[in-house]
Amino acid sequence: MTELPEKPLWLQRAAIVGVGLLGGSVGMSLRRSGVHVVGYARTESGCRSAVQQGAVDEAFCDLATACRQADVVVIASPVDRIASLVDACAATMADDAMITDVGSTKAKIVAGVADLGATVARRFVAAHPIAGSEKTGVANASRTLLDGKAVILTPGHSPDPGFLQRAREFWRQTGGEVIEMTPEEHDRRLAAVSHLPHLMASLLAGSTEPESLPLVGSGWKDMTRVASGDPAMWTAICDHNRDAILDQIDQFRGALDRLRALVAAEETGELRQWLEAAKARKDQAVAARR
Amino acid sequence: MTELPEKPLWLQRAAIVGVGLLGGSVGMSLRRSGVHVVGYARTESGCRSAVQQGAVDEAFCDLATACRQADVVVIASPVDRIASLVDACAATMADDAMITDVGSTKAKIVAGVADLGATVARRFVAAHPIAGSEKTGVANASRTLLDGKAVILTPGHSPDPGFLQRAREFWRQTGGEVIEMTPEEHDRRLAAVSHLPHLMASLLAGSTEPESLPLVGSGWKDMTRVASGDPAMWTAICDHNRDAILDQIDQFRGALDRLRALVAAEETGELRQWLEAAKARKDQAVAARR
């Protein structure tokens, strides 16, 4: 159980733009500390679900109404819509209110917001909570989803130091553990640990012959779990982070060729060493997250 | 909860040669029906653990003592030792006793047993229960591990029809659902749904930079889970099923090249269709196993 910090005085009201799995979980996590959470959804039924699931205290279909008086606005939309929503929200918010997001890519979003001009860019602190699921929708949201999870802030060059400090405090209040890096480093590392693995899961799932599906075991099931994710969301991620992902695909392909040579060799000593090194890295990851 | 069939009259006593995760689970599953289960382990402490964990009723370090009077002997060793253990066990068993195994590869084992001569081969019915874990050892065994799981029998040309029928009855008694195919079809299909995915999990785990480990999410964790598996066991599997695995690597590499082209294209429509097709296959697998 994550112990939450004391709620900062400035954080009274948060608006969540897009109350799905992740946005809904952010809302639920904040409500534990008594933050008043307002949701924005495109439809009346979306607003109703958000309230009924306990993700927000109230919800509106009008963006300006949702964002007015918020101390923080969290954009929780697909990555290709984040910059334009930052723009739309900024116009409706108080001058001292901070904007953050949950997008899985960062460089293109940060650049898109920089293009909106310094007045908007200085109050935007880009963020990526490493929490999610192949499931979607507020019905799958959880108030503990962010507890103990890394939240990467990629402020870039733009934001005001005061807003950056608020972003740190805000994300700690969700239960997350804040890490900071440049947008470019984020995109390179996430291409390696998230975007490439996602594509490999889809590749394994899509390549499996239907007649072999009754033979799959727990290994196949776990490896392909994320392939159930939303294709539109992942298309946007690939579009946003194309270069880093292509670079990862090329590195993976080179490693695959080296692995093929190890499997082809009659002498299995090197293959075994390779499997042992991979196991060691995996076991190191398990230990690191304890 | 799987409903077990009534125990066949001929099945009173089973011997498990190698009481690890899978062998131990087979023993536990049979004990639910009142089968008397005898274990073989190489060490006294291995024998003690097998009994203490409830995997077997009694255990011996002497193979002949363990197999004597058994109606079935199950070889649950690494794949590269199965054929020689079949040979050793056959010499100690009653003429009407059946031998089966749990190996993850089949063609080389079936060929190895055929080389032992017709007297041994006719009583061996090769089997592969699609159940397992990255964990090892009898401490992780479970009496429900096989419940509802596919157990593939690959009798090949050798076994006596009476022994084949006993093998079907035996594996159903563990809770498994029996499927039959040729050893070659088994190896080709398992290379696709198990052996290649395992190597891809190891490739992803081994390629991850240590500095990126704090950033991994649940997707990476699930995709690399099996990379914690026993390197010696997987080296033996790769050695046994080399040709089918190389064929799968080549197919995967071709598919990876096609995927790269989709990611590289500015127009994202085809990438989205590709992700949707992969999701459909994954969702089909989830539905098939319900």
Side-chain angles (χ1 to χ4, degrees):
Chain A
M1 171 87 197
T2 297
E3 197 160 325
L4 297 176
E6 202 174 325
K7 178 169 68 108
L9 279 175
W10 63 269
L11 178 56
Q12 300 297 328
R13 189 182 178 97
I16 311 287
V17 177
V19 192
L21 173 85
L22 196 46
S25 298
V26 171
M28 289 176 184
S29 72
L30 294 169
R31 293 184 75 209
R32 295 182 299 185
S33 304
V35 177
H36 184 84
V37 180
V38 183
Y40 162 77
R42 276 176 299 181
T43 62
E44 287 290 349
S45 76
C47 289
R48 267 198 305 277
S49 295
V51 174
Q52 277 166 3
Q53 298 287 338
V56 298
D57 293 285
E58 51 182 340
F60 301 97
C61 293
D62 179 63
L63 194 64
T65 309
C67 295
R68 193 174 297 140
Q69 298 184 300
D71 302 305
V72 183
V73 170
V74 183
I75 315 286
S77 74
V79 293
D80 52 343
R81 299 188 53 234
I82 290 176
S84 63
L85 281 166
V86 168
D87 196 24
C89 292
T92 71
M93 295 164 62
D95 286 343
D96 64 345
M98 189 259 292
I99 314 177
T100 186
D101 77 321
V102 304
S104 299
T105 67
K106 293 273 75 85
K108 204 161 171 177
I109 290 169
V110 168
V113 173
D115 286 346
L116 301 173
T119 317
V120 176
R122 63 184 282 281
R123 65 205 290 194
F124 177 66
V125 184
H128 178 201
I130 310 292
S133 166
E134 77 285 9
K135 295 177 184 155
T136 56
V138 69
N140 291 304
S142 151
R143 63 190 194 147
T144 58
L145 186 70
L146 285 97
D147 285 357
K149 303 290 169 61
V151 178
I152 307 175
L153 302 188
T154 65
H157 306 296
S158 314
D160 178 279
F163 284 121
L164 176 56
Q165 182 54 30
R166 287 195 169 188
R168 292 180 188 125
E169 291 173 10
F170 172 79
W171 284 106
R172 282 184 199 127
Q173 206 63 40
T174 66
E177 292 178 9
V178 169
I179 301 175
E180 294 173 37
M181 60 183 70
T182 65
E184 293 69 28
E185 183 178 359
H186 169 279
D187 285 3
R188 185 178 68 73
R189 291 197 182 279
L190 269 289
V193 300
S194 172
H195 309 163
L196 175 77
H198 187 96
L199 291 173
M200 296 307 97
S202 296
L203 193 48
L204 285 170
S207 305
T208 304
E209 298 173 308
E211 313 85 73
S212 291
L213 291 178
L215 309 182
V216 303
S218 58
W220 188 95
K221 284 179 217 171
D222 280 0
M223 287 202 70
T224 56
R225 180 180 59 80
V226 295
S228 282
D230 179 8
M233 185 181 109
W234 280 95
T235 302
I237 290 170
C238 291
D239 188 40
H240 256 223
N241 203 21
R242 180 174 291 116
D243 292 345
I245 294 172
L246 289 174
D247 190 46
Q248 286 299 323
I249 290 176
D250 292 339
Q251 288 188 39
F252 188 86
R253 194 189 141 132
L256 182 63
D257 288 347
R258 290 190 290 280
L259 169 60
R260 192 194 189 286
L262 295 184
V263 174
E266 298 278 326
E267 163 53 54
T268 58
E270 278 191 70
L271 175 62
R272 180 166 171 166
Q273 282 170 22
W274 181 91
L275 287 164
E276 280 167 355
K279 174 176 165 58
R281 188 63 51 83
K282 170 62 179 173
D283 293 345
Q284 188 184 346
V286 172
R289 297 299 298 175
R290 271 202 188 118
Chain B
M1 172 85 198
T2 297
E3 196 160 324
L4 297 175
E6 201 173 325
K7 179 168 67 110
L9 279 176
W10 64 269
L11 178 55
Q12 301 298 328
R13 189 182 180 98
I16 311 287
V17 177
V19 192
L21 173 85
L22 195 46
S25 298
V26 171
M28 289 175 183
S29 72
L30 293 169
R31 293 183 74 209
R32 296 182 298 185
S33 304
V35 177
H36 185 83
V37 179
V38 184
Y40 162 78
R42 274 176 299 181
T43 63
E44 286 290 347
S45 75
C47 290
R48 267 197 306 277
S49 296
V51 174
Q52 276 164 4
Q53 298 287 338
V56 299
D57 294 284
E58 52 182 338
F60 301 97
C61 294
D62 179 65
L63 194 63
T65 310
C67 295
R68 192 173 298 139
Q69 296 184 300
D71 302 305
V72 183
V73 170
V74 182
I75 315 288
S77 76
V79 293
D80 53 343
R81 298 185 55 233
I82 290 177
S84 64
L85 281 166
V86 168
D87 195 26
C89 292
T92 71
M93 296 163 62
D95 286 342
D96 62 348
M98 190 258 291
I99 314 178
T100 186
D101 76 323
V102 304
S104 299
T105 66
K106 293 273 73 91
K108 203 161 170 177
I109 291 169
V110 168
V113 173
D115 287 346
L116 301 172
T119 317
V120 176
R122 65 183 283 280
R123 64 204 291 194
F124 176 66
V125 184
H128 178 201
I130 310 293
S133 166
E134 78 284 9
K135 295 176 184 154
T136 54
V138 70
N140 291 302
S142 151
R143 64 188 193 151
T144 58
L145 186 71
L146 285 97
D147 285 356
K149 303 289 168 62
V151 178
I152 306 175
L153 302 188
T154 64
H157 306 297
S158 314
D160 179 279
F163 284 121
L164 176 55
Q165 182 54 29
R166 287 195 168 190
R168 293 182 187 125
E169 292 173 8
F170 172 79
W171 283 107
R172 284 183 199 127
Q173 206 63 39
T174 65
E177 292 179 8
V178 169
I179 300 176
E180 294 174 36
M181 60 184 69
T182 65
E184 292 71 27
E185 182 178 1
H186 169 278
D187 285 3
R188 185 178 67 75
R189 291 198 181 278
L190 269 289
V193 300
S194 170
H195 309 162
L196 175 77
H198 187 97
L199 291 173
M200 295 307 99
S202 296
L203 194 48
L204 285 170
S207 305
T208 304
E209 298 173 309
E211 314 86 71
S212 292
L213 291 178
L215 309 182
V216 304
S218 58
W220 187 95
K221 284 179 217 171
D222 280 0
M223 287 202 69
T224 56
R225 180 180 58 81
V226 295
S228 283
D230 178 7
M233 187 183 108
W234 281 95
T235 303
I237 289 170
C238 291
D239 188 41
H240 256 224
N241 202 20
R242 180 174 290 117
D243 292 344
I245 294 172
L246 289 175
D247 189 46
Q248 286 299 323
I249 290 176
D250 292 339
Q251 288 188 40
F252 188 86
R253 195 189 139 132
L256 181 63
D257 289 347
R258 290 189 292 280
L259 169 61
R260 192 195 188 285
L262 295 184
V263 173
E266 297 278 326
E267 163 55 53
T268 58
E270 278 192 72
L271 175 62
R272 181 165 169 165
Q273 282 170 20
W274 183 90
L275 286 164
E276 279 167 356
K279 174 177 164 59
R281 189 61 53 81
K282 170 61 180 173
D283 293 346
Q284 187 184 348
V286 173
R289 296 300 298 173
R290 266 189 195 131

